[in-house]
Amino acid sequence: MSALTLSPAHIRPVFHALITQATDTLGATAPNPSVGCALLDKNGAVLATGTHPKVGAPHAEIMAINEAHQKGVLDQVHTALVTLEPCNHTGRTPPCSEALLNTSVQDIWIGAADPNPKASGGASRLREAPGNRNVTFLSNHAELADLAEDCAALIIPFQQRVLNQRPWISIKQALNDAGSMVPPKGQKTFTSAASLTLAHRLRRATDAIITGIGTVLTDDPSFTVRHVPDHMGRGPRIIVVCDRSGGPFGRMPTLWRARMAEAGFTVLVSDNLANVPALLAEHGVNWAMVEGGPALLKAVSELNLWDDWLTIHKTNTADRIDITTQHGPHGLSPLRLLREKTCSPE
């Protein structure tokens, strides 16, 4: 095996941009993960890039290879950067590991190992195939550890569903300077424009919303993505309304349910909050967010159903953003990728 042609310092800015591109597809790819790929020539110039746009579409590696072919530069490919280990099985699409082997690529940089036991093994396949290729993970390079963490954060919702049969669940909570979630009379929010943008990035990036019947009856919420562009042609999003009153639709207003269906939502009702994660996993949800009042947030917390918690604190100056995970304030969270649309926020 020969030495890697490009240095970690050369790889860093390209991988950073690639993670940002893949982050933009969160919310569009479930039940698949969000993945990005870049193909470089021997000097490190980017020849083509690709992201996986949605389930059933070509994977990121194929998108990049197709772009390089269309540009007539496929024979110049020397280095591939991929945020997730190339798949090594035939599902809706052929293995990406084989597609890369059919190119002139010699160096493959991988952001994170594939957690799916049905698809993993792409790195070994690329390393062991004839051709003496270099295959390396970002985690093997200390100076790229932050990017390795970003790649892990990018796939952690997918990993949660595949390994634990439940989605990653994020709670969003806004508090005023008195510690209350209740906005002033006549208003629906009290946070800044920047905080609203972050909240809608989260709504765009998630595949499902968990709410309570109290929120539906009191606020008549639309749960649409505003302040940022939504995914073009995205599939139906799931809304689970928690209502212990029973019945197929509980106390949900018929007109609200019809309006949500018309807006592209699949509305479900659950009379048992503890069953909601498994219900969402059955629908292929990788990442869900909780949007509700204090009673629902308290119930989710007591059942320990959450994975990370986004708190927006209204202050007299700029809002303060806190992100806490089950493993503490510095645990791995996909929210790190949404904040200011940059990787590894402080």
Side-chain angles (χ1 to χ4, degrees):
M1 183 180 296
S2 59
L4 290 162
T5 302
L6 301 175
S7 69
H10 198 124
I11 291 298
R12 167 175 285 280
V14 185
F15 232 113
H16 188 287
L18 197 59
I19 293 168
T20 300
Q21 292 171 23
T23 297
D24 281 340
T25 70
L26 285 166
T29 63
N32 291 348
S34 292
V35 183
C37 174
L39 301 176
L40 286 61
D41 68 14
K42 201 166 187 175
N43 297 317
V46 177
L47 300 173
T49 61
T51 55
H52 176 52
K54 62 181 180 180
V55 65
H59 289 186
E61 297 92 328
I62 308 305
M63 297 289 285
I65 289 170
N66 289 346
E67 182 180 297
H69 177 72
Q70 292 166 4
K71 290 180 174 178
V73 295
L74 188 56
D75 60 341
Q76 299 175 36
V77 171
H78 182 275
T79 299
L81 313 183
V82 194
T83 59
L84 178 65
E85 179 183 8
C87 66
N88 197 43
H89 81 131
T90 300
R92 291 185 176 91
T93 59
C96 292
S97 55
E98 298 302 318
L100 287 172
L101 287 173
N102 289 328
T103 72
S104 56
V105 68
Q106 286 299 302
D107 295 344
I108 301 99
W109 293 72
I110 299 172
D114 193 336
N116 186 357
K118 295 181 180 178
S120 61
S124 295
R125 171 64 181 145
L126 290 164
R127 189 180 288 117
E128 296 167 4
N132 198 34
R133 293 171 185 82
N134 295 296
V135 180
T136 187
F137 285 84
L138 295 185
S139 57
N140 294 331
H141 302 268
E143 60 268 59
L144 299 178
D146 59 324
L147 296 183
E149 289 183 356
D150 285 336
C151 288
L154 185 63
I155 64 159
I156 202 167
F158 170 75
Q159 176 176 305
Q160 178 84 306
R161 183 184 59 78
V162 168
L163 297 184
N164 301 320
Q165 292 75 56
R166 50 155 292 179
W168 185 271
I169 296 178
S170 296
I171 292 179
K172 176 184 73 71
Q173 182 181 32
L175 299 174
N176 62 21
D177 51 9
S180 171
M181 294 178 62
V182 180
K185 189 174 181 180
Q187 296 180 216
K188 288 194 172 184
T189 185
F190 48 75
T191 55
S192 67
S195 295
L196 280 173
T197 298
L198 174 60
H200 281 265
R201 283 191 197 128
L202 175 58
R203 192 179 280 178
R204 178 184 190 267
T206 50
D207 313 305
I209 293 172
I210 303 168
T211 193
I213 187 62
T215 296
V216 172
L217 295 175
T218 303
D219 297 339
D220 189 31
S222 66
F223 293 125
T224 53
V225 175
R226 305 181 300 279
H227 303 278
V228 294
D230 201 357
H231 299 292
M232 294 291 293
R234 74 181 298 169
R237 297 181 73 207
I238 307 292
I239 294 180
V240 178
V241 179
C242 299
D243 185 356
R244 288 177 290 188
S245 67
F249 297 108
R251 291 169 285 168
M252 190 189 314
T254 302
L255 289 178
W256 183 84
R257 179 162 54 90
R259 191 172 81 246
M260 299 308 289
E262 185 178 349
F265 292 93
T266 298
V267 183
L268 308 174
V269 175
S270 175
D271 61 3
N272 188 341
L273 178 60
N275 294 337
V276 169
L279 174 66
L280 291 174
E282 290 173 5
H283 284 79
V285 171
N286 289 336
W287 192 2
M289 68 179 296
V290 178
E291 294 202 66
L296 178 62
L297 269 58
K298 183 173 184 289
V300 172
S301 179
E302 289 176 346
L303 289 172
N304 205 34
L305 298 181
W306 63 281
D307 294 290
D308 55 20
W309 196 302
L310 170 68
T311 307
I312 303 171
H313 299 270
K314 177 66 176 176
T315 70
N316 291 329
T317 55
D319 292 352
R320 189 178 85 250
I321 307 296
D322 290 335
I323 297 174
T324 302
T325 75
Q326 286 282 22
H327 302 289
H330 302 296
L332 198 61
S333 166
L335 292 173
R336 67 189 274 147
L337 304 175
L338 302 183
R339 199 168 158 186
E340 301 304 324
K341 291 193 74 175
T342 60
C343 301
S344 303
E346 296 297 324

